[in-house]
Amino acid sequence: MKGKAFKFGDSISTDHIIPGRFAHLRSNLPELAKHVLEDADPTFVTRVKAGDFIVAGNNFGLGSSREHAPLVIKMAGVSAILAKSVARIFFRNAINLGLPVLIFDTDGIGDGDELEIDLGAGTIKDLTSGRQFTSGRIPEVMLRILDEGGLIPYIQKYGDFKL
Amino acid sequence: MGKTLAEKILSEKSGSDARAGDIVIAKVDLVFIQDTTGPLTVRLFRSGGFKGLANPLRTVLFIDHAVPSPSLGLSNDHRLLREFAGETGASMSDIGEGVCHQLVGESMARPGDVVVGSDSHTVTAGGLGAFATGMGSSDVAVAMALGKTWFRVPESLKVTATGSFTKGVYAKDFILHLIGLIGADGATYKALEFGGDAVAAMSMSPRLTIANMAIEAGAKVGLFPSDRTTGDYLAAQGRGEDYRPIAPDPDADYEKTIKIDLKLLEPTVSRPHTVDNTALARDLKGTKIQQVFIGTCTNGRLDDLEIAAGILKGKQSNPGTRLIVGPASRQVMLEAMKAGYIQTLVAAGATILPPGCGPCLGLHQGILGDGEACLSTSNRNFQGRMGNPDAFVYLGSPATAAATALSGEITDPREVMPG
Ligand code: SF4
C-alpha cells in the first residue's frame, strides 16, 4: 500500500472523528462521511485521497463504541491507521471493518510524507525521509478477521469464531 | 494461582481455564443496542444474512439517546429498531424508559453475566459484578446472532479503596481522581477491579458511577465483587433470585495495585477537553458556567438527585446559568417525584428532561453556544461532546453541579453545604 501521511496528535476521540451532533446522518453514510475528523482538521476531508494514511499519536479513537468512526475513515479512502496506541473498542471496530491498524512510535513520520506499507511484514517505509519502521503484532484472531475483509465476511465464511 | 474477577467470569463463560492474555470464546448472557449505534448493528445483522437472534429474550433494543426524536433521520432510525424488534422478538425499551445502562442495572444484568452492548458505557453493569463491555456494531451484531463473542482475557489492575468520604465528596470525585492519576489510557485493554473496605461499604449507586467511567481510563471492564449489597439491591429491584456472590480469589495475580484513601479526596472536576485533565473544584473558583446538567448513566440516579435537591432546596439557581436535570430512568423519575426532589429542583429553576441521555452526547436538549461552558455530571468532556466544538465541558459530581448552579461559577460544594 502506498499513500500520503495525514498527521494527528494524541487523544483524537470518536467525538473528533464523527461527533454526536451528526447522529441524525448515521443512516446516510455518504453524507456522514463528509464530516470525518472535521473538528480535528476541517480540511482533512477535502485533501485526503484513496489509499492515504492517518498517522496519529497516543490513544487514537478513545471514547464511544460508534463503529461509524472507523467506517467514515474508511469511506474517506484511508487505507490504514498508524498510531502510537489505539483505544480498545476503536481498534476492534477498525479490524472488524477490514481497516488495518499499525501500532508503533509514529513520531518519525512527518505530515505529508509518502509511505509504503507491507502489511504482511508489518513494515512501514517513509519514502520521503528514507526511514523504516516496524509495527507491533496484531493478535492472530484479528489478523484472520482482517484477512477476510472484516468480521461479518469472516463469520459468513466460517459460520462461527475459529480460534 | 487464584483468579481475578475477570478471569473467573470468563473461565465460567468460556468453559476453560481463562488466564490474562488468553483468547477465549465466551457465552454472552445479555446483548443490547441503542438508537445511535443500533441501526448500523441492524443493517450489519441483516447484511450478514443471520437467521435470527440466539436469545431474543436477552436481546434488548433501547431508544434512549435521542428521546423523543429531535429529527427526521433519527425518527426513521427509531422506526428501524421497532421493526427489527417486531421481526426478531427482541425486547424493546422505548422512549421514556430511560438510559440503557441504568435499565440494564435496574432490571437485566446479573452478577457473573457477560454483557455486551453497542455503547462504550456498557461497563456500568460491572457495578453488579457482570463482565460488561462496550463493542461496535459488527461485534454486537455477531453476538446477537451467535450468542457468543471472543475476548482477550484482560490483565487486571486492582484499585483498593479505604477510609470513607468526607462531607461533599462522592464516588464521582473518586473516579475522576483515579482517572486523573492513571490517565485516559491508564487501563487500556485491562480490567479495573475495585475492592477494599470502602468498596464493601459502598451502596450500589456509587458502584455504578465508578464502573461507568472505567472506560474513561480505557478499561475493558470495571468490576465490583457481587456481595451482600448487590443482593440487597437486586432484592429491592424485585429480582433477588438473580443474586449470587462472586469475588476474586485472595491470591489472584494483579498487574498492579492502586490504593486510594477516600478521606484524602476533595471535590474534583475534569477540565476540557479530556477526562484525565483533573483539578480540585476549589482551584477552579471563578470559572463562569452557563449551563449545568445533572443526569446521565453516570449520575442520574435517585441519590444524585437527592444530593442536588438538598443543596438547591429553597434557593434559586443563578440567573446566568441554565440548570438542566435528566433522571436516568422512569423508576428514578417516579421515586424522585415521590420524594419531592423534582419539585425542589423545578422550584430552584431547573428544566426537567424526560428520562434518557439528554444533552450528554450533543445531539439535542441543551447544545452549548460558542464559547459557553457546561458543568455536567456526565462522563465525557471531549471537544465537541455537547454539540459544539467551540464550547467547554467540565465534569463533576451532582453536589459540585448543584453548588455551581447556585453561584454561576465552578464551586466547591462544601462552601454551600450545611454543617
Ligand atoms: S447518558 Fe451519555 S454517556 Fe450515558 S449512554 Fe447516554 S449518551 Fe452515553
Side-chain angles (χ1 to χ4, degrees):
Chain A
M1 297 193 274
K2 242 181 183 178
K4 210 163 104 172
F6 281 84
K7 278 209 88 166
F8 290 88
D10 293 337
S11 305
I12 297 294
S13 77
T14 51
D15 282 308
H16 287 112
I17 300 170
I18 199 69
R21 67 174 184 276
F22 297 121
H24 61 289
L25 293 177
R26 285 191 189 179
S27 291
N28 184 352
L29 292 171
E31 272 305 310
L32 190 69
K34 288 184 188 162
H35 299 283
V36 59
L37 281 158
E38 186 174 284
D39 290 346
D41 176 359
T43 66
F44 170 74
V45 75
T46 58
R47 295 186 293 133
V48 67
K49 294 207 175 56
D52 286 346
F53 306 108
I54 284 176
V55 180
N58 277 311
N59 213 8
F60 187 80
L62 78 156
S64 151
S65 68
R66 59 188 76 142
E67 197 164 309
H68 305 79
L71 186 57
V72 291
I73 287 175
K74 194 180 169 191
M75 288 180 70
V78 171
S79 60
I81 293 167
L82 288 52
K84 286 189 203 170
S85 67
V86 175
R88 183 186 67 81
I89 306 179
F90 182 91
F91 187 20
R92 207 163 149 145
N93 284 347
I95 301 295
N96 284 345
L97 291 172
L99 180 63
V101 178
L102 299 163
I103 310 218
F104 62 100
D105 184 353
T106 53
D107 275 347
I109 296 179
D111 188 38
D113 285 3
E114 283 296 326
L115 307 180
E116 187 172 19
I117 295 182
D118 181 339
L119 263 191
T123 52
I124 301 98
K125 231 192 250 164
D126 189 326
L127 302 174
T128 309
S129 71
R131 292 178 68 178
Q132 181 150 328
F133 307 88
T134 311
S135 76
R137 258 171 40 87
I138 296 182
E140 196 58 35
V141 49
M142 293 177 111
L143 279 179
R144 264 182 264 151
I145 290 169
L146 199 54
D147 274 349
E148 299 304 331
L151 180 65
I152 300 288
Y154 171 95
I155 295 290
Q156 279 176 323
K157 178 158 168 190
Y158 297 108
D160 204 341
F161 294 104
K162 294 269 177 275
L163 292 189
Chain B
M1 176 59 79
K3 286 183 173 168
T4 64
L5 260 179
E7 289 170 331
K8 263 194 179 174
I9 298 173
L10 290 181
S11 290
E12 186 181 315
K13 295 300 172 181
S14 67
S16 70
D17 181 31
R19 298 289 178 169
D22 291 351
I23 305 279
V24 297
I25 297 171
K27 176 175 177 279
V28 172
D29 299 289
L30 175 70
V31 56
F32 67 90
I33 60 179
Q34 42 88 338
D35 50 333
T36 70
T37 54
L40 180 59
T41 315
V42 167
R43 290 196 179 90
L44 289 165
F45 186 92
R46 285 177 173 164
S47 71
F50 299 120
K51 294 282 170 296
L53 302 170
N55 193 352
L57 290 177
R58 301 282 286 169
T59 303
V60 189
L61 320 182
F62 290 95
I63 298 185
D64 59 348
H65 278 60
V67 295
S69 168
S71 76
L72 179 60
L74 285 159
S75 298
N76 285 329
D77 285 345
H78 290 177
R79 243 192 86 180
L80 177 71
L81 294 188
R82 294 185 189 108
E83 277 168 15
F84 185 71
E87 281 163 27
T88 59
S91 308
M92 197 62 224
S93 175
D94 217 311
I95 73 165
E97 291 299 334
V99 183
C100 50
H101 310 302
Q102 176 62 17
L103 298 166
V104 162
E106 285 176 4
S107 49
M108 296 170 203
R110 300 166 299 205
D113 274 357
V114 167
V115 178
V116 164
S118 70
D119 189 285
S120 59
H121 294 104
T122 303
V123 286
T124 312
L128 288 156
F131 190 96
T133 194
M135 288 183 162
S137 295
S138 293
D139 271 317
V140 172
V142 170
M144 281 163 48
L146 303 185
K148 54 188 164 182
T149 191
W150 73 271
F151 289 112
R152 181 182 172 282
V153 181
E155 289 80 17
S156 292
L157 306 181
K158 179 103 189 175
V159 182
T160 305
T162 54
S164 43
F165 290 119
T166 55
K167 189 188 82 172
V169 185
Y170 301 91
K172 182 61 160 290
D173 302 300
F174 168 85
I175 187 66
L176 294 181
H177 171 80
L178 176 67
I179 295 164
L181 197 68
I182 66 175
D185 56 359
T188 298
Y189 307 119
K190 303 195 165 90
L192 281 173
E193 298 197 11
F194 298 92
D197 304 348
V199 162
M202 215 175 252
S203 63
M204 189 49 65
S205 182
R207 292 183 185 191
L208 294 169
T209 298
I210 292 166
N212 174 268
M213 292 196 69
I215 177 71
E216 308 312 331
K220 183 180 285 190
V221 284
L223 284 168
F224 282 74
S226 168
D227 57 12
R228 278 245 307 273
T229 301
T230 321
D232 292 347
Y233 174 78
L234 291 169
Q237 288 299 119
R239 52 192 194 106
E241 72 283 0
D242 286 348
Y243 173 61
R244 66 175 170 123
I246 316 179
D249 291 327
D251 58 342
D253 192 15
Y254 289 97
E255 194 176 281
K256 80 176 172 200
T257 299
I258 300 158
K259 292 202 169 80
I260 296 182
D261 183 350
L262 301 192
K263 76 173 181 304
L264 301 179
L265 299 179
E266 295 189 61
T268 301
V269 166
S270 291
R271 294 167 291 181
H273 293 292
T274 54
V275 184
D276 57 3
N277 187 17
T278 52
L280 295 181
R282 60 184 164 87
D283 291 336
L284 298 176
K285 202 171 167 52
T287 309
K288 291 269 180 264
I289 295 291
Q290 287 76 34
Q291 178 169 299
V292 166
F293 173 45
I294 300 172
T296 79
C297 55
T298 318
N299 279 126
R301 279 177 286 278
L302 191 66
D303 56 329
D304 300 316
L305 302 186
E306 179 184 5
I307 290 162
I311 290 172
L312 286 156
K313 193 171 176 84
K315 302 190 176 135
Q316 281 299 308
S317 61
N318 190 285
T321 307
R322 312 178 289 272
L323 172 60
I324 300 175
V325 177
S329 72
R330 188 189 296 279
Q331 180 186 328
V332 169
M333 186 156 191
L334 283 168
E335 287 173 355
M337 285 178 0
K338 205 162 149 207
Y341 306 147
I342 298 286
Q343 190 143 1
T344 298
L345 292 166
V346 172
T351 297
I352 307 292
L353 298 180
C357 299
C360 177
L361 78 163
L363 62 84
H364 70 157
Q365 291 176 339
I367 291 170
L368 300 173
D370 292 349
E372 285 189 336
C374 179
L375 189 299
S376 170
T377 66
S378 58
N379 45 38
R380 243 170 221 165
N381 61 347
F382 303 147
Q383 188 186 6
R385 177 71 184 178
M386 291 184 83
N388 186 341
D390 298 319
F392 303 90
V393 182
Y394 294 82
L395 307 176
S397 74
T400 302
T404 298
L406 279 178
S407 63
E409 57 183 56
I410 294 180
T411 300
D412 184 323
R414 294 172 299 190
E415 278 185 29
V416 298
M417 289 172 78

